[in-house]
Every structure is written in structure tokens, then in C-alpha cells.
Amino acid sequence: MHDLKAVSTLFDLRGDFVHGYSYGSGHINDTYCIWVDQAGQRIRYILQRVNHNVFKQPIPLMENVKRVTDHALKRLKEEQCPEAYRRTLTLVPSVDGKPYALDADGNCWRVYPFIERARTYDQIETTKQCQEAARAFGEFQKLTADLPGEPLFETIPDFHNTTSRLAALKEAIQSDPLGRVKEVQKEIDWYLSREADCHLVVDYLKSGELPLRCTHNDTKLNNVMLDDVTGEGICVIDLDTTMPGSAIYDFGDMIRTATSPAAEDEKDVSKVTMRMFMFEALVQGYLSSAKSFLTPLEKSLLPFSGKLLTMECGIRFLTDYLSGDVYFKIHRPEHNLDRCRTQMALVESIETQMDEMKAIVDRY
């Protein structure tokens, strides 16, 4: 537990620290809710320490967040949105006017006003929640589509570069540090047989046929706050991986994380399936906000995006298994291999339903 009172004095909160506590279910940054007394009124804020072991350059990351949130707020105000400060994260400046503050130990901190009367869900319970979360991610892309200036800083280089991910897998196969290749030749052959798919979006981005956009790059549906009363997608959160990318990556990760009822590490892969009604909810929500700026090629690749991002994740799990489980935390010896196999099963489910998925995208 950090000294939250001391950290809070680094920010221009215009009030007195009352108390704070750990908040949320995130696994990377340290997140706290703090209460501040402002002239007799208790106000909540989110106080976060950026994990510099994961994000090696937190200051450029915070400059990204500042640019994106300032622009989103500007756009919302131009649209005369009555809840502009509730529809985007906004940074509270430090006492020296920066969007972050460094403590005595060099930790990078930030503060957001607490968005009231809304919450996130670790498990999506209804198609309406799925639809609203997808609509919110589309709205986020729409608000940032005309972000001026130079491209954003890459907080994690080549994060969704499937060509690079495949190259890392081949390197792990070649080096085989733990002698595991012979145990998983079937899985290796399965992924390598789909190599052409791994290059498609990367090649389109290089040629300029797909536009480079400001994308979230971690579109788990628990990164959207839903209104407590209406269920509407209010605000996209967790902007640390917001950087240049493809809209295909964002939508594909929604398919990967939202459409299967099985856990990511389910041992019984017969439980893994791409549920069409959840896919349709994603399409309906996303295109309701995103279709005005997406190109025809981007729209045509939406069904394929789920296959691509699921393959990418499976490749990462298999690479980590071959390398000795050095990246993803494991709780059993073949944990990463189980994860790899669930991704394979989901890809196969998507492949068998691709024609119907394309028909749904065309419909909306």
C-alpha cells in the first residue's frame, strides 16, 4: 500500500485527502479510489500508479493519454454533449501542471475524476451489454479519428503485429529451450498452416490500403463503463495501450473476448464456440457508431478480424509455452498450452461460420 495521502498532494485536487483504498480488478497498474473533501463536499477520484515494468516509458504514455482525452473532450463539447466530462476520461493536472506526477521513488502517478453512476463488468451478462460496449469502442475511435499531430507513441511496439508474433513463434520452435517442440507438433503445424492470414492486415497497413488509426488495442469489454440505470456504454477506460493501430485489431479482440462462453484456459475445448448472437450484438453496436468513418476494406475485414486476433493470442500462448512460460502467469504446468488450444478451437468455430458472419456485417 502506497502513501496515498502523500501522493495526492502532488496533484491539484483543491481539497483535503480523507482516505483511499485499492479499487478494481486490474492486474497491471496499482489503482486506488480516494476521497477528497472540497469545501465540505466529499468527491471521489481514481488514483493510479503506472506499472513501469510493463510500460517502460510511462511519460510518453501519459502524453498519449493527455492528447487522446483532451481531443475527445473537445469533440464532445463541439457536439454539445450534455455529459462531456462523463463520456471520456479527463486527467487532473499535477501541482506543476503536468498530466502526471513522479513520487520520491520515481513512480509515475495520474488522477482521473471518478465517473459516477456507472461500472464495468468482468463478465458480460447480456447481448445488450455486449452491444453497448462495442458501440462505446466505436464511439471512442470516432472521437479520435481526426486526432491532429504526429502519430501517437507506441507504448508496446508491435503489440498486434501478427507477422512479428509469428516470427517469435518460429524462433521459439528453432531454439526449443525446454525440448517441448516434440510434444506440441500438432499445434505448431496448425498455426503455421495459417501463416498467410497472419500477414494480411500487416501488409495492408504497410501499403496504405488500411488506414493507421488511433486505436485502444485492449478491447476487453470490461474496459467500458456501462450506465447503472440505462445500461448505455458511457466511457472507455484503460488507455495505456492506446496507440497507432488498425480498427481491425480493436474489433477482432472484441470477438475473441466476448463471443465464446468458455474461459480462456478451458481444458474441454468442446465448450469453445463463437456464438453468432453475440457476434451480431457486437456488429450492431460497433457499426452504429463506427460505420460513418470506416473504409469499405475495413468493414469487409470485420468478420476476419476475430480469426486474426484469436490466432495472434494463441500464437503468443504457444510461444510462451515453448519458451518456458516466461511471460504469462501460469497456475499449472500446461496452462499456456490449454490457453493455446482454446484459441485454436475458437478460430475453427469462426472459420466454419465465416459466411454467416459476413452476411451479418453486410446487413448492418
Side-chain angles (χ1 to χ4, degrees):
M1 189 72 172
H2 297 275
D3 186 343
L4 303 184
K5 182 176 181 178
V7 174
S8 71
T9 64
L10 302 174
F11 292 90
D12 187 16
L13 295 175
R14 310 292 175 96
D16 302 305
F17 177 87
V18 179
H19 68 95
Y21 50 89
S22 294
Y23 187 84
S25 58
H27 300 300
I28 297 178
N29 299 319
D30 294 329
T31 303
Y32 304 95
C33 175
I34 62 171
W35 286 92
V36 175
D37 187 301
Q38 292 181 340
Q41 181 72 39
R42 296 285 177 93
I43 304 293
R44 285 199 286 182
Y45 291 93
I46 290 293
L47 174 66
Q48 281 187 321
R49 184 189 72 88
V50 179
N51 186 334
H52 54 253
N53 292 318
V54 174
F55 300 105
K56 306 295 185 183
Q57 299 188 58
I59 292 176
L61 178 154
M62 287 307 303
E63 291 169 351
N64 275 7
V65 175
K66 172 71 171 169
R67 283 181 62 192
V68 167
T69 54
D70 282 358
H71 185 71
L73 183 63
K74 176 175 177 287
R75 287 283 312 279
L76 288 165
K77 287 182 174 180
E78 289 171 352
E79 296 169 5
Q80 298 184 334
C81 174
E83 291 187 321
Y85 284 91
R86 192 167 178 251
R87 302 277 173 164
T88 179
L89 294 175
T90 52
L91 288 161
V92 176
S94 66
V95 291
D96 57 3
K98 296 177 180 177
Y100 61 90
L102 301 178
D103 66 17
D105 297 319
N107 292 302
C108 182
W109 293 85
R110 63 184 170 215
V111 173
Y112 298 115
F114 194 100
I115 296 176
E116 302 287 356
R117 307 184 313 280
R119 55 166 289 199
T120 61
Y121 294 80
D122 287 332
Q123 296 292 328
I124 292 293
E125 300 163 359
T126 67
T127 54
K128 177 176 171 56
Q129 289 176 335
C130 189
Q131 181 179 331
E132 280 299 317
R135 186 194 59 77
F137 278 120
E139 186 66 26
F140 173 80
Q141 289 182 352
K142 183 178 178 182
L143 288 172
T144 58
D146 59 347
L147 183 72
E150 294 295 312
L152 294 171
F153 171 75
E154 276 195 89
T155 57
I156 304 179
D158 291 325
F159 186 53
H160 281 315
N161 187 322
T162 43
T163 298
S164 294
R165 297 295 188 187
L166 188 66
L169 173 60
K170 291 180 178 179
E171 184 177 329
I173 295 168
Q174 185 68 31
S175 59
D176 193 16
L178 298 182
R180 289 178 169 179
V181 165
K182 61 181 180 294
E183 306 168 12
V184 293
Q185 195 61 53
K186 177 182 175 182
E187 288 78 7
I188 290 171
D189 292 344
W190 188 95
Y191 281 105
L192 294 183
S193 71
R194 289 161 173 79
E195 177 167 358
D197 290 328
C198 294
H199 299 294
L200 186 66
V201 170
V202 173
D203 290 346
Y204 276 143
L205 286 169
K206 285 181 179 178
S207 69
E209 293 172 86
L210 277 177
L212 196 64
R213 299 193 180 278
C214 171
T215 48
H216 187 277
N217 295 298
D218 188 19
T219 51
K220 297 188 299 288
L221 301 189
N222 63 358
N223 279 334
V224 175
M225 301 192 73
L226 303 181
D227 187 273
D228 288 343
V229 176
T230 66
E232 181 184 0
I234 294 297
C235 182
V236 170
I237 62 171
D238 195 2
L239 305 182
D240 293 333
T241 55
T242 300
M243 53 187 166
S246 171
I248 300 306
Y249 298 150
D250 274 4
F251 190 74
D253 218 26
M254 287 187 240
I255 297 173
R256 185 186 75 83
T257 56
T259 61
S260 176
E264 189 176 65
D265 58 358
E266 173 60 58
K267 290 184 177 183
D268 182 0
V269 296
S270 67
K271 297 179 180 179
V272 180
T273 183
M274 201 290 297
R275 295 175 293 178
M276 193 62 68
F277 66 92
M278 295 298 279
F279 174 76
E280 183 164 4
L282 288 176
V283 171
Q284 186 175 2
Y286 181 66
L287 288 182
S288 69
S289 53
K291 66 181 177 183
S292 63
F293 67 85
L294 291 176
T295 67
L297 180 57
E298 285 174 312
K299 293 173 185 175
S300 72
L301 288 172
L302 291 180
F304 169 76
S305 69
K307 175 181 177 180
L308 178 70
L309 269 290
T310 305
M311 281 196 305
E312 177 200 298
C313 195
I315 286 170
R316 292 177 66 194
F317 288 140
L318 182 56
T319 302
D320 200 33
Y321 179 73
L322 293 174
S323 302
D325 307 303
V326 294
Y327 185 85
F328 296 104
K329 290 182 179 179
I330 62 168
H331 304 292
R332 53 182 184 264
E334 295 190 343
H335 203 166
N336 273 322
L337 188 55
D338 292 334
R339 291 163 170 158
C340 157
R341 288 167 174 161
T342 62
Q343 305 308 294
M344 293 166 61
L346 185 55
V347 167
E348 289 176 348
S349 179
I350 290 171
E351 288 174 338
T352 62
Q353 301 180 82
M354 189 63 72
D355 289 343
E356 188 177 350
M357 294 169 72
K358 291 177 179 177
I360 287 173
V361 171
D362 289 343
R363 190 184 314 150
Y364 288 99

